[in-house]
Amino acid sequence: MERREPTEHQSAQQQAQLFEKSLPKVNQLAFNMLLNELVPLSMAVENDIHDMAVKDSNAEDVTVEVLAGDVDKKVVLKDDDTEEEKEQAPKYKIGEQSHKLIQQIYNLDDEYRSNSVAERIQNVGFQIGSKLCELLVFSNNPTISFRDMDLLAVMKFVCRDVWKQVYGKQIDNLKTNHRGTFYLLDYDYKPIQTFALDLDPEQQEKELKLVEPFLEIPVGIIKGVLSSLGFPKDEVICVTSFVDRPDDRPRSLFPKGVSFHVQVNRR
Amino acid sequence: MGIHSFWIFDRHCNCIYDREWTLLSNSGSGTINSKQNDETAKLLYGMVYSLRTITQKLSHGSMKNEIRTIATGKYLVHIFCTASGLWFILLSDFRQQSYSQVLHYIYGHIYVKYVANNLLSPIDFAENKNETRGQGFRKITNRNFIKSLEAFLAPMVAK
């Protein structure tokens, strides 16, 4: 057998592999959990802000009452409060458990607050996306070339490299109408695969609703990547929804696939 | 019949999962998380707990001496304790001596994967202080966990 010289592309790829091997590594499980924890974290932050706002308004009431002349009663009440606080408050404050925070997001009936949770998650994703983009472009990957920088190339970059980096796989399907609208379909979106409630099939809707906030992270990442490649945040609309998985795919744990609908409006 | 029943206890002395097979011909028979098994669960816990203390007292040196199996005239009890205080207990007949690999697999590939990694399910099944001292009643009802555990243990039930 005659040994062929490796082509330029092959040797470039080999070099990239060697480079990748030399990069520092983290545990994928820990990284994934950290990403998922963004959702309860955002809810906890939202709770704290809400509590503080409520406390502030209560504090105003107290001062008003004190001014009204009920001084003795107030002092007694205050003493009681501090004693109770001493008894109840442990040395360090233990936060709410993650699964309860996720339930809280589901139970939020205030649309303004649930939007602010979603926005908070998206913003963290945005930061991750824009930084990740810098790193991936910097790391001299031979599959990326931004010579003409058209939108399709950028979206391909998201589907291949960004997804590979964050979730260890590529997007399953990319659809476009060549006018700035893209559908990114991931039929086995990794982070939510093991999420499940009870055996009861009636709970499936609730389950999907509970999982929804987790899709804000990739939305943020997509927006972040696009913005650092020259498509600012306010020109990009990205919406997620669950889609049915095609029948010919092997069965996965989570019954639904995820679709990201990205639209870029150039001005 | 290979295995008779399977139990998980958490660090608050609560039984968080129980599975009992009744028919040897049918691996789908029996009960999951049944209320009737509460008393049995407590007795089993007590037996393992006391024998566990004895073995730990009778250990030489600094190595922890964990209990692995208890043999009675009728059945074998296989025990796997984790550092986080979970007990995986399997009751079987005398055909196979060691189920430690099986219990290890259940912990590593089923419990961790579907309960610990599932953000929608609680990781600590005692929700408040009243449930921590063996008074808890919450069980693992997770769809993926039950399905894959059933699939994994079914071949060991039948003859």
Side-chain angles (χ1 to χ4, degrees):
Chain A
M1 275 283 285
E2 191 186 341
R3 266 195 74 185
R4 272 191 299 167
E5 282 293 307
T7 61
E8 208 171 293
H9 180 72
Q10 273 173 338
S11 60
Q13 226 159 20
Q14 217 165 24
Q15 276 215 315
Q17 271 171 12
L18 281 176
F19 176 76
E20 227 163 71
K21 267 185 199 162
S22 71
L23 286 176
K25 298 197 173 49
V26 292
N27 188 328
Q28 201 191 355
L29 193 68
F31 172 68
N32 258 333
M33 281 188 144
L34 209 60
L35 267 190
N36 278 341
E37 259 329 293
L38 279 179
V39 174
L41 172 77
S42 306
M43 187 62 213
V45 172
E46 173 66 31
N47 274 345
D48 277 1
I49 290 173
H50 189 72
D51 287 352
M52 255 194 281
V54 171
K55 223 182 239 171
D56 278 354
S57 59
N58 280 351
E60 273 169 29
D61 291 349
V62 169
T63 48
V64 169
E65 276 176 46
V66 170
L67 280 177
D70 211 355
V71 182
D72 287 341
K73 204 176 163 190
K74 271 280 108 66
V75 170
V76 172
L77 268 181
K78 242 187 185 165
D79 279 347
D80 279 349
D81 271 2
T82 48
E83 264 172 31
E84 259 175 39
E85 266 170 18
K86 263 180 210 163
E87 274 174 20
Q88 281 176 355
K91 277 175 196 158
Y92 51 91
K93 200 180 159 204
I94 303 169
E96 197 76 80
Q97 289 177 0
S98 292
H99 74 278
K100 283 192 189 154
L101 286 166
I102 294 166
Q103 287 277 353
Q104 280 178 19
I105 299 180
Y106 173 74
N107 290 331
L108 273 182
D109 41 10
D110 187 346
E111 201 166 301
Y112 173 75
R113 285 186 70 197
S114 61
N115 279 344
S116 90
V117 172
E119 202 178 313
R120 196 162 287 124
I121 301 169
Q122 255 190 45
N123 281 337
V124 183
F126 185 85
Q127 297 294 332
I128 296 171
S130 48
K131 281 164 192 166
L132 192 67
C133 184
E134 303 292 337
L135 281 170
L136 286 174
V137 173
F138 167 76
S139 73
N140 195 20
N141 195 327
T143 56
I144 312 169
S145 74
F146 292 105
R147 219 165 297 148
D148 30 353
M149 280 295 280
D150 76 324
L151 190 54
L152 186 63
V154 172
M155 290 315 283
K156 276 184 184 163
F157 167 67
V158 171
C159 293
R160 286 205 195 109
D161 300 275
V162 174
W163 231 253
K164 188 107 186 147
Q165 196 69 34
V166 183
Y167 303 114
K169 68 181 281 264
Q170 298 184 1
I171 282 266
D172 293 313
N173 206 339
L174 171 67
K175 289 178 185 166
T176 175
N177 68 350
H178 296 288
R179 281 186 199 82
T181 306
F182 295 88
Y183 283 97
L184 284 70
L185 301 166
D186 193 343
Y187 295 120
D188 336 78
Y189 179 58
K190 274 279 165 61
I192 58 169
Q193 283 306 309
T194 54
F195 289 8
L197 287 175
D198 298 355
L199 276 171
D200 190 0
E202 279 172 24
Q203 288 210 306
Q204 207 192 354
E205 284 219 347
K206 188 184 175 190
E207 193 178 295
L208 292 181
K209 203 88 181 126
L210 279 169
V211 170
E212 238 165 40
F214 289 88
L215 306 182
E216 301 292 342
I217 305 168
V219 168
I221 291 177
I222 292 173
K223 281 188 178 175
V225 170
L226 288 178
S227 105
S228 63
L229 290 176
F231 302 92
K233 209 178 184 181
D234 50 344
E235 289 179 9
V236 179
I237 301 165
C238 186
V239 189
T240 60
S241 55
F242 290 106
V243 288
D244 286 322
R245 310 176 70 251
D247 294 330
D248 53 334
R249 291 187 69 84
R251 287 189 60 193
S252 74
L253 289 165
F254 200 76
K256 292 271 185 183
V258 182
S259 141
F260 302 94
H261 176 195
V262 184
Q263 194 162 3
V264 180
N265 306 311
R266 297 249 74 171
R267 297 226 170 97
Chain B
M1 182 139 168
I3 54 179
H4 304 299
S5 59
F6 172 72
W7 312 74
I8 304 176
F9 294 90
D10 72 354
R11 65 196 168 97
H12 304 297
C13 321
N14 295 327
C15 175
I16 53 171
Y17 190 76
D18 64 72
R19 176 76 173 99
E20 193 170 38
W21 291 273
T22 42
L23 297 172
L24 31 147
S25 53
N26 181 4
S27 60
S29 68
T31 55
I32 301 179
N33 290 338
S34 134
K35 264 253 173 277
Q36 292 170 342
N37 278 340
D38 274 3
E39 286 304 309
T40 325
K42 276 182 189 147
L43 290 170
L44 183 67
Y45 186 89
M47 173 168 80
V48 174
Y49 182 85
S50 39
L51 286 171
R52 195 166 175 253
T53 359
I54 293 169
T55 51
Q56 279 177 356
K57 275 193 185 137
L58 293 177
S59 66
H60 303 281
S62 60
M63 281 291 281
K64 263 249 164 99
N65 187 16
E66 281 289 355
I67 191 166
R68 290 215 189 114
T69 50
I70 303 168
T72 70
K74 289 253 167 165
Y75 53 85
L76 275 171
V77 187
H78 305 268
I79 303 146
F80 174 65
C81 303
T82 71
S84 50
L86 286 165
W87 294 5
F88 293 80
I89 295 174
L90 192 71
L91 266 65
S92 78
D93 62 7
F94 295 98
R95 281 220 203 124
Q96 192 176 337
Q97 284 301 311
S98 169
Y99 276 91
S100 63
Q101 298 263 336
V102 169
L103 290 173
H104 218 280
Y105 183 90
I106 291 173
Y107 174 51
H109 290 84
I110 300 180
Y111 182 86
V112 168
K113 190 173 176 191
Y114 299 122
V115 180
N117 256 337
N118 180 357
L119 271 188
L120 304 187
S121 98
I123 185 67
D124 193 344
F125 285 83
E127 281 208 345
N128 49 49
K129 276 233 171 82
N130 300 332
E131 293 171 19
T132 51
R133 297 187 168 225
Q135 306 290 317
F137 51 89
R138 279 166 227 281
K139 307 268 184 185
I140 303 177
T141 52
N142 187 327
R143 161 165 53 91
N144 288 332
F145 177 81
I146 294 177
K147 265 189 196 164
S148 60
L149 189 66
E150 286 296 294
F152 177 64
L153 288 180
M156 291 169 236
V157 177
K159 295 168 278 186

